[in-house]
């Protein structure tokens, strides 16, 4: 077999097209991955709608990839055919630019993003830079692994670097694709975990995921409720609603931190006195690089953290994408290639 199926976008806002292509060969520093599963992330809109600057079309989206290394290019060290791997948003780093030399690989000026600067995982095969690879442990299926290398690493890595210590209170704002993983990670890391979402219907889910406390942001004063349980060392904001983020700020404990993961269009309102008087802070967090994804996969494997998924075959990518965009999916939509 020398042909493969890919689902591509040929222009901004164009439809998904299922086409056949030659199976590509990996160049130096690259590997070819036989894709088993690829999660659909809201950030795939950047490729679909062309809102990420400089995308060259046609482009295959997909940065929640799980599969098997199938061919290894020249000069690749440490990766061999047959290894199970994941590839997330971070599409690789050069190792020699200034941010890389300072250890900030996530900020590499090379700027490789899977499914955006090169073709991603809505395909039977894809080529990835070897620095983008995370080793996938036995015991996690490809469908389980896909969402963990984007939604998973974003929440796991921000939480583990948040400065909060086991036993302290972490509040997760939003209970969707990111939030339902964030609650599980917070619980397994030993935080007293508060889930915040709109309406009472998500309370049973929050409790099932292990949360200690649920706040219905439509019926309750979020900040007051957080203070009632002692204040949050961290509020992990997975929503894209600036107002909801601002409303949680006053619920931060002394030295507490609002960590912004979702990207609202409108600016955040932050009362300066709250920051000064309680030495509180607002920070953003970039999801992570390949080794962070690998740690996420490993932690999830042994702690039992799993995304709830809805699975579609690759050829129904358009329908699966619409399902993700509807906001009704519980909670991550994943494509499978059947190989
Ligand atoms: Zn993503
Ligand atoms: Zn670099």
């Amino acid at each position: 077999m020398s042909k493969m199926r890919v689902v591509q976008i040929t222009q901004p806002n164009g439809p998904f097209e299922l086409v056949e292509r030659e199976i590509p060969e990996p160049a130096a520093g690259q590997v070819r991955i036989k894709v088993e599963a690829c999660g659909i992330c809201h950030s795939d809109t950047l490729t679909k709608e062309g809102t990420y600057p400089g995308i060259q079309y046609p482009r295959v989206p997909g940065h929640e990839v799980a599969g098997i290394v199938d061919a290894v290019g020249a000069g690749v060290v440490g990766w061999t055919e047959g290894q199970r791997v994941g590839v997330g948003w971070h599409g690789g780093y050069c190792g020699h630019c200034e941010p890389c030399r300072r250890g900030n690989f996530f900020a590499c000026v090379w700027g490789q993003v899977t499914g955006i600067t090169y073709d991603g995982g809505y395909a039977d095969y894809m080529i990835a830079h070897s620095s983008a690879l995370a080793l996938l442990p036995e015991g996690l299926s490809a469908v389980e692994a896909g969402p963990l290398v984007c939604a998973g690493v974003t929440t796991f890595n921000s939480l583990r670097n948040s400065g909060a210590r086991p036993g302290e209170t972490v509040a997760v704002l939003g209970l969707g694709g990111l939030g339902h993983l964030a609650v599980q990670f917070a619980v397994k890391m030993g935080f007293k975990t508060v889930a915040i979402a709109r309406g009472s219907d998500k309370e049973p889910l929050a409790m099932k995921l292990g949360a200690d406390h649920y706040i219905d942001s439509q019926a309750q004063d979020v900040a007051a409720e957080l203070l009632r349980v002692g204040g949050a060392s961290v509020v992990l904001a997975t929503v894209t609603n600036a107002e909801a983020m601002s409303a949680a700020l006053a619920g931060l404990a002394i030295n507490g931190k609002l960590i912004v993961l979702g990207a609202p269009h409108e600016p955040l309102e932050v009362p300066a006195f709250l920051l000064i008087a309680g030495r509180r802070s607002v920070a953003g967090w970039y999801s992570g690089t390949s080794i962070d994804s690998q740690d996420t996969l490993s932690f999830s494997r042994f702690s039992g953290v799993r995304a709830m998924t809805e699975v579609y075959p690759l050829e129904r990518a358009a329908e699966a994408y619409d399902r993700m965009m509807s906001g009704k999916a519980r909670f991550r939509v994943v494509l499978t290639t059947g190989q």
Side-chain angles (χ1 to χ4, degrees):
M1 190 182 79
S2 63
K3 298 273 190 188
M4 65 172 186
R5 300 169 303 160
V6 305
V7 176
Q8 66 181 20
I9 299 290
T10 52
Q11 59 181 29
N13 291 309
F16 288 103
E17 295 171 5
L18 181 70
V19 296
E20 277 202 337
R21 287 191 192 171
E22 295 290 325
I23 296 177
E25 292 300 323
Q30 300 177 334
V31 304
R32 183 172 66 213
I33 299 167
K34 186 178 178 182
V35 177
E36 293 176 288
C38 182
I40 296 183
C41 178
H42 192 268
S43 302
D44 294 346
T45 55
L46 298 171
T47 304
K48 176 79 164 66
E49 296 167 10
T51 40
Y52 194 95
I55 297 183
Q56 288 174 14
Y57 292 93
R59 182 57 76 227
V60 179
H63 60 263
E64 294 195 347
V65 187
I68 296 166
V69 176
D70 170 71
V72 177
V76 171
V77 178
W79 298 98
T80 53
E81 277 177 42
Q83 281 176 316
R84 301 180 74 225
V85 293
V87 180
W89 169 268
H90 183 88
Y93 53 87
C94 74
H96 50 74
C97 69
E98 180 160 337
C100 281
R101 289 175 64 202
R102 294 188 189 283
N104 295 316
F105 300 104
F106 78 91
C108 176
V109 299
W110 192 27
Q112 298 297 293
V113 183
T114 314
I116 288 184
T117 59
Y118 62 88
D119 286 336
Y122 290 21
D124 286 324
Y125 291 85
M126 69 169 278
I127 300 288
H129 297 298
S130 63
S131 56
L133 302 178
L135 196 61
L136 206 166
E138 291 305 318
L140 267 186
S141 73
V143 168
E144 289 171 331
L148 290 173
V149 296
C150 181
V153 65
T154 300
T155 48
F156 172 81
N157 202 34
S158 56
L159 259 182
R160 70 170 175 168
N161 287 292
S162 68
R165 298 191 297 178
E168 293 184 346
T169 298
V170 163
V172 175
L173 182 57
L175 209 48
L178 264 66
H180 89 294
L181 284 166
V183 167
Q184 295 179 64
F185 284 127
V187 170
K188 297 294 183 183
M189 287 180 189
F191 298 118
K192 188 171 164 190
T193 305
V194 180
I196 308 166
R198 283 190 299 196
S200 57
D201 53 321
K202 282 190 173 170
E203 181 167 3
L205 171 73
M207 294 300 143
K208 192 182 127 198
L209 296 174
D212 299 285
H213 192 65
Y214 179 80
I215 300 174
D216 171 0
S217 61
Q218 279 176 328
Q220 293 170 288
D221 179 333
V222 171
E225 285 300 309
L226 286 175
L227 291 179
R228 208 170 58 76
V229 294
S233 296
V234 164
V235 171
L236 203 62
T238 70
V239 294
T240 51
N241 179 337
E243 217 175 304
M245 293 189 197
S246 296
L249 267 176
L252 286 172
I254 302 299
N255 294 316
K257 195 191 283 185
L258 172 76
I259 300 179
V260 179
L261 301 180
H265 290 297
E266 64 276 23
L268 264 181
E269 258 185 53
V270 181
F273 186 74
L274 259 179
L275 302 186
I276 297 165
R279 296 203 319 204
R280 299 176 183 91
S281 57
V282 176
W285 189 266
Y286 174 95
S287 69
T289 61
S290 49
I291 193 67
D292 299 312
S293 286
Q294 189 164 317
D295 290 347
T296 306
L297 291 165
S298 169
F299 183 91
S300 303
R301 161 74 182 85
F302 71 73
S303 68
V305 173
R306 298 290 188 275
M308 293 164 68
T309 53
E310 295 182 4
V311 179
Y312 288 73
L314 179 66
E315 59 271 20
R316 285 168 61 197
E319 187 188 334
Y321 179 88
D322 288 346
R323 176 70 179 159
M324 180 279 296
M325 290 300 281
S326 76
K328 290 180 186 145
R330 292 291 175 263
F331 282 95
R332 298 298 280 190
V333 179
V334 181
L335 298 173
T336 53
T337 58
Q339 55 185 4

